[in-house]
Amino acid sequence: MIDETPVLDNHLHLDPDHHRGIDAVRDFARVGGTHLLVVNKPSWHLGVEAETGEDFRAVFERTIEVVEAASSELEGRAWPVLGIHPGLISRLVDDRGFSPDEARDLMQAGIDVAAEYVDAGEALALKSGRPHYEVDDAVWTASNAVMRRAFERASELGCAVQLHAEGSEEMTEVTEWAEDVGLPAHKVVKHYAGGRLEGPIPSVICDKDELETAAERGEPFLMETDYIDDPDRPGAVLGPKTVPRRVQWFLENGHEDAVRNAHVETPALVYGIDTVNTLEQA
C-alpha cells in the first residue's frame, strides 16, 4: 500500500490466456495497487464472433474467472465490469454483413446477458458506449440505442455504466438520457476521460496534466490506465504500475484530497463500494 490508502485502477483489461494476465496484477500490487475494476476485453479479441446474446457468456465467464484470481493477489480486491464494446458494431456491419439494426439487436442482447451477472452479484457494473470514430448516421443511431439499453438495465439494477465513447469535455446529453430512464448521472462513467468533463463522472487516463486538472477542479473523478494486456500492442495505453505511481506523485505534491476523492469517495458514490473496509478485510 501507499501511505495506507486504497489505490484503485478503474479500468483495465486482463488476458490470462494470451498475455500477462495475473502477472500484470502482481506488478500493480507490488507498487502499492490494492483494487481493480477489470473490464472484459472485446469479444472478438477472445475469439468470440457472437451470433446471439448468449454467445457473449463465454467472454463474461472468463472475465469473472480472472477477476477471482486477481483478487487473491491484492490487499483489497477486484471486481468485473461486463458489457459489449461499442466497436463491435463496425465489425458486425463492415465485416460480417449485419445491418445496423441487426447489430443493435445483437449488442442489446449481449447487454441483457451482462446484466444477469450484475443481478446475480457476480459483476459490479455494465460497459457500453458508442464509437469514438466517425460512422454513418444509421450506425450512430444504432449505437446510441445500445447505450440507452445499458442505461435502462443499469437503472433496473441500481448499478453504474462505464462508457467507451468519443473524446469530449461535454456529454450532458448522454447523462440526460440516463436520467430519463431513472439512472442518476453519477452512475455514468466516461472511461478514458480528460480531467474536465460535464455530464458523466470522468475516469481520467493517468496523464499528469489531466490528473492535475481533475484535482484542481475538485469534482468526483476516478483514475485508470486502460491497460489492454495485448501482446501485439505492448506499448499501447499505460502499464499496470501507472495508477499507484501517480497516487504516490499526487501525495508527494500535496494532493491528499484528490487521492481520497478518486480512490475512496468517488468509488463509493458511483459503485457503492467501500475501498477502505475491503482493504481492511482482505
Side-chain angles (χ1 to χ4, degrees), residues 47 97 121 125 128 170 191 209 213 240 245 254 273:
S128 188
E170 210 288 322
H191 129 75
D209 289 343
T213 297
R245 286 174 170 169
I273 57 177

Side-chain angles (χ1 to χ4, degrees), residues 131-160:
H132 65 275
Y133 47 87
E134 188 172 344
V135 294
D136 66 33
D137 289 346
V139 168
W140 186 251
T141 298
S143 297
N144 281 323
V146 174
M147 183 167 59
R148 287 173 181 256
R149 173 65 67 88
F151 293 157
E152 291 167 0
R153 300 312 309 272
S155 176
E156 296 165 5
L157 296 164
C159 74

Side-chain angles (χ1 to χ4, degrees), residues 49-274:
E49 299 290 357
E51 299 284 350
T52 71
E54 284 297 312
D55 293 340
F56 293 104
R57 202 173 289 279
V59 176
F60 302 151
E61 295 279 0
R62 193 70 185 99
T63 304
I64 290 168
E65 290 172 2
V66 74
V67 166
E68 290 174 354
S71 285
S72 69
E73 301 289 339
L74 297 170
E75 292 193 53
R77 60 163 295 181
W79 293 270
V81 176
L82 304 180
I84 308 302
H85 193 288
L88 177 62
I89 197 165
S90 296
R91 189 173 182 87
L92 293 173
V93 172
D94 297 342
D95 299 341
R96 296 180 55 195
F98 281 62
S99 72
D101 286 352
E102 289 169 339
R104 175 202 63 205
D105 292 348
L106 174 59
M107 294 171 71
Q108 287 181 333
I111 293 290
D112 291 343
V113 173
E116 293 178 20
Y117 291 94
V118 177
D119 191 34
E122 296 180 77
L124 181 66
L126 296 175
K127 163 191 175 177
S128 188
R130 61 192 184 191
H132 65 275
Y133 47 87
E134 188 172 344
V135 294
D136 66 33
D137 289 346
V139 168
W140 186 251
T141 298
S143 297
N144 281 323
V146 174
M147 183 167 59
R148 287 173 181 256
R149 173 65 67 88
F151 293 157
E152 291 167 0
R153 300 312 309 272
S155 176
E156 296 165 5
L157 296 164
C159 74
V161 179
Q162 285 199 18
L163 296 181
H164 178 112
E166 72 277 7
S168 177
E169 292 187 355
E170 210 288 322
M171 296 185 72
T172 54
E173 181 184 46
V174 169
T175 48
E176 287 169 1
W177 292 345
E179 290 174 322
D180 285 345
V181 295
L183 183 68
H186 68 261
K187 291 285 191 181
V188 181
V189 177
K190 169 64 170 67
H191 129 75
Y192 208 96
R196 182 178 288 103
L197 178 64
E198 298 300 326
I201 300 288
S203 182
V204 181
I205 194 69
C206 277
D207 171 87
K208 287 183 178 181
D209 289 343
E210 298 296 349
L211 290 173
E212 283 191 328
T213 297
E216 290 165 5
R217 187 167 175 249
E219 298 294 326
F221 76 102
L222 297 153
M223 293 170 60
E224 68 166 74
T225 57
D226 191 26
Y227 176 67
I228 61 173
D229 204 11
D230 186 338
D232 295 326
R233 300 171 64 199
V237 204
L238 298 171
K241 298 178 184 178
T242 310
V243 168
R245 286 174 170 169
R246 293 293 186 263
V247 167
Q248 185 67 56
W249 171 77
F250 255 160
L251 294 172
E252 289 169 356
N253 287 276
H255 287 303
E256 292 87 356
D257 289 348
V259 170
R260 182 166 183 83
N261 182 353
H263 299 276
V264 178
E265 295 166 357
T266 304
L269 172 70
V270 174
Y271 303 111
I273 57 177
D274 187 334

